[in-house]
């Protein structure tokens, strides 16, 4: 699903984040990446998603080299193949939950009814069924994160990128969220790349890697 | 796969949600566009309606003649021209004598002497009245009046009225009315009677000519022009239109420019509101990009918003503009106080093309306001934007002023260009470029002005925070600054120009009004005081010196209004003219003449030039110098009144100036002068210099009233834009404030920070605005005014006003920041840190 | 009321005016008031004068009747105005064409005050001008005329074939029972006319016979009169018949007169009792409502016996339609009689007309 080879990135100021990262993810694989703050975990996710360009190396998603795509191509790739979960929920405050979750489908050009139907089904699946017409300000942090997860999954992407999805949640809610997150992911058969500080979160993954200036190393 | 409809699902959702959540912002943006469009459109409508009225009035006096032969001066041309023109092939000619008349001492009218048989032959001349009236008309004992004159005179058909014209008096019976001349002040008598009773034997002022069907007007016009004597010209409809146009062209163009300023200000308000709205949502836009919305679709989203806002706002603006124009016409008259068109409320003329143009301008302002920041947002790397909503600019990056410098250079070039067809178009372009360069320069200027403040005592944390903000986010701050800058610059430019003008006029009046008492006939076209009256005036005890003045119009060019010939006493203490530039020596055999500055500019007369005056006998004069004149926009020529008397034999004088002997009471002398004129003479006014000065300045203020008004509105709208900008910025930084409160800043310190930020913004913008405004005022004073009105003035800076503007600005922006910030200093700020947006 | 040119203006002007400025019109002298060729010209001191040409022309569409007239009117007031525009004399010109194919008259008129050579009634010989309309007597005695209007243009040369005919007593023609009700009157019958007639875009050469009436006077008609009838007939045998009568309000003749001049030049002057008009048929105008005796028998008593002239109009509607301009209503038409042709004028069958 995902194939990264020899990825190099330096930041403005001259510091090299990483030199020559290799990574491969098969469908259905759940990989966690841990590392020190400032090691470049979020940057790595941005590079994989095509939101940033590497200094060297290649990223292939579903066998498509994203370097060969223009900006619109990468955007479309994200829209059709990738699902995002952020640390901050980034839920649009002026849309109700159902519309928020249906956004990726709407961006793909699907009909409103179809998209909202799928969104409400996904809200059901994350345990927020029947609250499709509520607004984000009525929800707690944990509920909002579940909405974000629903949005990441509604269009059945092949690759899911999660950047500290449980960072803002208390341990119980985090565990709960992670659980349904993992269940849903497994059922859909996607590949998952999870960036996190939390060893608990990493434990849910199939394997854990550590990102350091030396590169991406398997964790024991 | 992609949705083929006009507005895809995602975009519809985003549009509706945004507007439903913040209806107030939407309404504010709509109002801004509406106001800008309304102001511009209203001024344009007023112009168009007034001109239409003016045109109508002029046309009804002249009738529907194809061509007219007109005299170049008030004396008319020899009547033997009439049969010569009548014998030109293919024309019908109607001879006309015209003279300014007063009925019963109070009602002014233009008296025309016509040959009713010739007039009827041209298909005109409908009159209302009995058939006995016509008999009296032929006999020269009856007069027909147009409706306004009849109403003003208070006479009824059948009563008799006393007519005074050209110094003669005659009683005639009002025989009826003139329905065709319902818009003008016209009185008509038989031509033979007017020639005889009012001393105009042997001369005509006009020939109305109709070209027979199938004839070519242009060919006929050439044939007639070939046989004209030097004191007559032939005009047709286009040259008359050109003359009417030039009467008030410059004034109207200035008004139109002011309207554009109003539009620009409204547009700017929209721009700032929209750009901040986009900036505020930059994180949302980043999310959409991450989720998979293409860059151009994002731009399309913003564009759709802008177009919808623009169309609705512009539509409302057109309606509002109509209402404003109708109100202004009713209250202020068609010239908005400029004094060009006298009397009557012009009818409001709706101009569909103008409505479309102004509406489009409104939409364009909304679109531009959104597109620039939208482009920036769509180009920004979404990954960064989503994590760091706020300024994209690295504080370490230098801000370069090259664009601004290029614009400045462009402005300088434009200012050096000459007028285009009598309009200072490049002058206005230069001012626009100056404004643009000022706006482009703001980020750099903000840094430059704030830099020295950075080395300040570390204790003043709020102050340092404020400075750091301004330094670090100059592009965001510069949007607010640009608004302040534009509003201030325009205000200052106008204020400096008006104050310079007023001061120059005041000084000029002081120069020109050297006598103690002035007598002036109310209607200079009526001839003036006769020789006997002048002798009586001279003999009044207490009169130390008396000078006389004859003002009469001369026509040099058929497309331009008449030039005023001022024949005056050139000896004696009360006869000064403020010369501009060196005087040229005049050979002793020649008669010297002094041309006014407008005349010199319009006709290109320079000292040393020889000039033929279109008076009887075509006398030649040599231009001895150019003098400053603010009273007559179309030009004036001064000659010795003795030369004038020699050329024309006209001993009547329209004005008299008196120096009172030392020690004598001026009031007593004035009373004596009034008695000396008596009741039989023309209506006149006695004034002291102070009264004249006061009236002149009052007229000046009245004609600039609308300028002050538009200026005031521009300032208010500009400030509103600033308030919106500052307010939105503060709200956007709510998390920042929350963080600061967490860190330990007290409410008081935060408040001080806000006030300081606001004051800094106001100060920087105000100082820059004043400087820019001064530069623009110089363009107004040295380029626009001379090219439009043909007069120059000295720059006078109203220092108290300028300081006041900056102070007011600082107070206003600081106040706004504080007021808006009050909401921020509440619990919400603390809570906001935890929240997402 | 439209300001037009028209007769009533002139007539009303006659009654207006301040007493002190009224001019006194000289009466026509009783003794041989007509002396030619001098009296071909105008007589400015008299109140009213005309040069009245009527005639028949042969066109390719058949015969048409034509009338062209110049009037001169002296204003009844004189305030001593030195202006060259002072209206002392008014010149009025009128032309009409009677084309049976059209069924009604085409006409044109102009009115101007005399002055600047643009409108003129010269003394000494016939020379009348309003702009480009003119009637001029040339050195060889022929008259040339030009009248151009919207409907037709006439350019004619009129050649006298007989000596002038002095009417009344050597030109003193009485018009009523009262003292001084008379005019100076002479006619030039049997004028040979030729020239060009332009109608629309069509120009053709025409030939025919015409009659010129020359009359001037200061006061003409008795105040009791309602109108008059006049006929001038060019007979085929070379004689010329002139008849007129003045009617009162009841339609009864107040005065009558005329002359019959034979081809050899012998002249019979008719007395009032010698002239009779017998109406055969009336024609009612659909416009004015007036009824004109368009078919009349004129009975003239001469020493050689009674002569009857049975008058037939070229067409019925030869009424002068200047009611729109507020003018008088009268009928002026081309007529035939057995053995001759001419013109008949019927005045005063509508409103009263005062001269």
């Amino acid at each position: 699903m995902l194939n990264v080879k020899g990825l190099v990135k330096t930041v403005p100021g001259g510091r090299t984040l990483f030199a020559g990262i290799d990574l491969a993810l098969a469908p259905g694989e759940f990989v966690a990446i841990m590392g020190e703050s400032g090691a470049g975990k979020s940057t790595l996710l941005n590079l994989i998603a095509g939101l940033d360009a590497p200094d060297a190396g290649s990223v292939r998603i579903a066998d498509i080299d994203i370097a060969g795509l223009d900006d619109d191509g990468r955007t479309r790739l994200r829209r059709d193949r990738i699902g995002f979960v952020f640390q901050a929920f980034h839920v649009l405050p002026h849309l109700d939950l159902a519309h928020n979750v249906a956004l990726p489908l709407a961006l793909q050009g699907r009909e409103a009814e179809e998209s909202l139907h799928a969104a409400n089904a996904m809200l059901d699946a994350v345990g927020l069924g029947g609250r499709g017409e509520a607004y984000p300000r009525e929800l707690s942090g944990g509920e909002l994160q579940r909405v974000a997860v629903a949005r990441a999954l509604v269009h059945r992407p092949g690759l899911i990128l999660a950047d500290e999805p449980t960072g803002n949640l208390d341990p119980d809610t985090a565990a709960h969220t992670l659980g349904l997150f993992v269940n849903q992911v497994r059922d859909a058969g996607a590949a998952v790349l999870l960036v996190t500080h939390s060893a608990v979160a990493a434990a849910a993954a199939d394997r854990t890697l550590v990102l350091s200036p030396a590169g991406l190393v398997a964790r024991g | 796969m992609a949705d083929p409809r006009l507005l895809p699902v995602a975009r519809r959702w985003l549009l509706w949600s945004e507007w439903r959540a913040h209806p107030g912002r939407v309404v504010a943006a709509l109002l801004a566009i509406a106001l800008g469009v309304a102001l511009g459109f209203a001024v344009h409508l007023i112009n168009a309606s007034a001109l239409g009225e003016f045109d109508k009035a002029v046309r009804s006096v002249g009738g529907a003649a194809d061509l007219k032969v007109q005299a170049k001066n008030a004396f008319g041309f020899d009547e033997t021209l009439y049969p010569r023109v009548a014998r030109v092939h293919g024309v019908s000619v109607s001879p006309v004598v015209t003279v300014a008349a007063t009925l019963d001492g109070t009602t002014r009218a233009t008296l025309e002497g016509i040959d009713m048989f010739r007039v009827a032959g041209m298909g005109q001349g409908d009159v209302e009245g009995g058939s006995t009236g016509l008999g009296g008309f032929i006999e020269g004992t009856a007069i027909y009046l147009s409706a306004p004159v009849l109403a003003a005179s208070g006479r009824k058909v059948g009563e008799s009225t006393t007519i005074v014209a050209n110094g003669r008096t005659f009683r005639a019976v009002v025989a009826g009315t003139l329905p065709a001349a319902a818009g003008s002040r016209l009185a008509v008598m038989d031509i033979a009677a007017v020639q005889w009773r009012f001393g105009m034997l042997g001369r005509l002022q006009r020939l109305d000519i109709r070209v027979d069907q199938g004839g070519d007007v242009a060919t006929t016009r050439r044939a007639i022009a070939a046989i004209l004597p030097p004191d007559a010209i032939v005009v047709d409809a286009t040259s008359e239109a050109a003359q009417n146009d030039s009467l008030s062209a410059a004034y109207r163009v200035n008004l139109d420019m002011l309207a554009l300023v109003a539009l620009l200000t409204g547009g700017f308000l929209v721009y700032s509101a929209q750009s901040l709205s986009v900036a505020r949502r930059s994180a949302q836009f980043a999310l959409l990009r991450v989720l998979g919305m293409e860059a151009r679709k994002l731009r399309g989203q913003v564009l759709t918003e802008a177009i919808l806002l623009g169309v609705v706002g512009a539509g409302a603006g057109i309606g509002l503009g109509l209402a404003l124009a109708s109100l202004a016409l009713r209250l202020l008259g068609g010239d908005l106080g400029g004094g060009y068109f006298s009397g009557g409320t012009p009818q409001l003329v709706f101009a569909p093309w103008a409505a479309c143009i102004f509406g489009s301008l409104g939409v364009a302002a909304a679109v531009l306001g959104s597109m620039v920041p939208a482009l920036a947002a769509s180009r920004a790397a979404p990954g960064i934007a989503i994590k760091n909503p706020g300024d994209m600019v690295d504080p370490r990056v230098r801000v370069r002023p090259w664009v601004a410098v290029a614009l400045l250079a462009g402005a300088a070039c434009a200012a050096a260009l000459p007028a285009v067809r009598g309009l200072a178009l490049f002058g206005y372009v230069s001012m626009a470029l100056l404004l643009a360069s000022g706006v482009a320069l703001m980020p750099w200027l903000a840094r430059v002005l704030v830099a020295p403040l950075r080395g300040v005592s570390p204790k003043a944390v709020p102050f340092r925070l404020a400075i750091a903000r301004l330094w670090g986010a100059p592009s965001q701050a510069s949007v607010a600054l640009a608004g302040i800058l534009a509003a201030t610059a325009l205000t200052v430019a106008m204020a400096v120009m008006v104050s310079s003008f007023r001061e120059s006029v005041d000084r000029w009046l002081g120069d020109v009004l050297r006598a103690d008492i002035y007598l002036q006939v109310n209607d200079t076209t009526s001839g003036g005081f006769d020789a006997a009256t002048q002798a009586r005036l001279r003999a009044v005890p207490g009169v130390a010196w008396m000078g006389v003045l004859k003002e009469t119009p001369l026509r040099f060019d058929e497309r331009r209004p008449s030039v005023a010939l001022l024949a005056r006493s050139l000896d004696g203490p009360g006869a000064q003219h403020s010369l501009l530039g060196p005087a040229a020596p005049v050979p002793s055999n020649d008669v010297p003449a002094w041309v006014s500055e407008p005349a010199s500019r319009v006709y290109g007369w320079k000292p040393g030039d020889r000039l033929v005056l279109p008076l009887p006998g075509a006398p030649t004069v040599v231009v001895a110098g150019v003098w400053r004149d603010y009273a007559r926009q179309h030009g004036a020529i001064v000659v010795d009144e003795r030369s004038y008397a020699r050329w024309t034999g006209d001993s009547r004088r329209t004005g008299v100036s008196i120096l009172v002997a030392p020690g004598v009471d001026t009031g007593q002398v004035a009373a004596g002068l009034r008695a000396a004129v008596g009741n039989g003479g023309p209506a006149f006014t006695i004034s002291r210099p102070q009264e004249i000065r006061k009236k002149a300045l009052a007229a000046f203020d009245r004609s600039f009233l609308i300028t002050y008004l538009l200026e005031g509105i521009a300032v208010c709208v500009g400030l509103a834009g600033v308030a919106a900008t500052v307010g939105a910025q503060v709200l956007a930084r709510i998390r920042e404030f929350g963080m600061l409160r967490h860190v330990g800043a007290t409410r008081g310190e935060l408040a001080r920070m806000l006030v300081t930020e606001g004051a800094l913004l106001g100060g920087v913008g105000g100082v820059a605005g004043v400087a820019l405004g001064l530069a623009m005022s110089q363009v107004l004073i040295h380029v626009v005014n001379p090219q439009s009105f043909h007069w120059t003035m000295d720059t006078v800076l109203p220092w108290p006003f300028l300081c006041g503007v900056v102070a007011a600005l600082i107070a206003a922006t600081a106040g706004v920041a504080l007021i808006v910030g009050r909401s921020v200093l509440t619990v919400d700020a603390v809570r906001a840190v935890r929240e997402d947006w | 009321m439209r300001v037009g040119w028209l007769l009533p203006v002139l007539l009303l002007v006659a009654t207006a005016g301040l007493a002190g400025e009224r001019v006194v019109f000289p009466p026509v002298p009783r003794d041989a008031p007509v002396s030619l060729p001098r009296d071909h010209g105008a007589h400015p001191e008299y109140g009213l004068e005309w040069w009245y040409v009527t005639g028949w022309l042969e066109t390719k569409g058949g015969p048409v009747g034509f009338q062209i007239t110049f009037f001169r009117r002296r204003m009844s007031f004189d305030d001593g105005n030195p202006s060259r525009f002072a209206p002392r004399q008014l010149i009025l010109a009128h032309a009409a064409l009677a084309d049976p194919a059209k069924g009604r008259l085409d006409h044109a008129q102009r009115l101007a005050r005399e002055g600047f050579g643009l409108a003129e009634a010269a003394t000494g010989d016939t020379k009348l001008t309003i702009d480009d309309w003119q009637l001029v007597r040339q050195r060889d005695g022929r008259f040339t005329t030009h009248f151009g209007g919207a409907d037709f243009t006439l350019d004619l040369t009129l050649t006298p074939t007989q000596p002038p005919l002095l009417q009344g007593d050597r030109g003193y023609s009485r018009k009523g029972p009262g003292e001084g009700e008379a005019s100076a009157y002479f006619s030039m019958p049997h004028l040979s006319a030729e020239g060009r007639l332009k109608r629309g875009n069509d120009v053709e050469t025409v030939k025919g016979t015409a009659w010129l009436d020359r009359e001037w006077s200061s006061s003409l008609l008795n105040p009791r009169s309602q109108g008059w009838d006049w006929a001038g007939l060019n007979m085929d045998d070379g004689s010329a018949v002139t008849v007129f009568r003045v009617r009162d309000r009841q339609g009864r003749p107040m005065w009558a007169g005329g002359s019959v001049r034979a081809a050899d030049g012998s002249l019979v002057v008719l007395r009032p009792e010698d002239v009779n008009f017998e109406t055969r048929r009336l024609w009612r105008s659909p416009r004015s409502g007036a009824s004109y005796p368009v078919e009349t028998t004129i009975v003239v008593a001469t020493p050689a016996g009674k002569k009857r002239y049975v008058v037939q109009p070229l067409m019925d509607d030869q009424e002068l339609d200047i009611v729109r301009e507020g003018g008088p209503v009268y009928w002026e038409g081309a007529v035939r009689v057995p053995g001759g042709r001419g013109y008949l004028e019927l005045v005063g069958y509508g409103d009263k007309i005062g001269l």
Side-chain angles (χ1 to χ4, degrees), chain A residues 78-79 90-91 94 99, chain B residues 13 287 289-290 294 836-837:
Chain A
R78 279 197 302 278
R79 187 176 70 197
H90 292 299
V91 177
H94 312 310
H99 280 84
Chain B
W13 288 353
L287 172 69
R289 293 269 288 122
V290 169
E294 289 104 319
D836 222 2
W837 300 100

Side-chain angles (χ1 to χ4, degrees), chain C residues 25-34 43 45-48 169-174 179-185 215-220:
Chain C
F25 297 119
V28 173
R30 250 194 158 279
D31 201 23
V34 177
H43 306 81
E45 63 276 19
Y46 292 93
L48 182 59
D169 176 16
R170 292 162 299 162
Y172 185 82
S173 170
R174 291 188 63 190
E179 189 59 42
E181 287 168 23
S183 64
Y185 183 11
E215 201 160 352
W216 60 97
S217 70
S218 292
S219 78
L220 206 48

Side-chain angles (χ1 to χ4, degrees), chain B residues 571-595:
Chain B
D571 60 340
Q576 299 277 6
H577 18 251
S578 37
L579 280 184
L580 297 166
V586 175
S588 50
N589 289 346
D590 288 315
V591 178
W594 293 262
V595 301

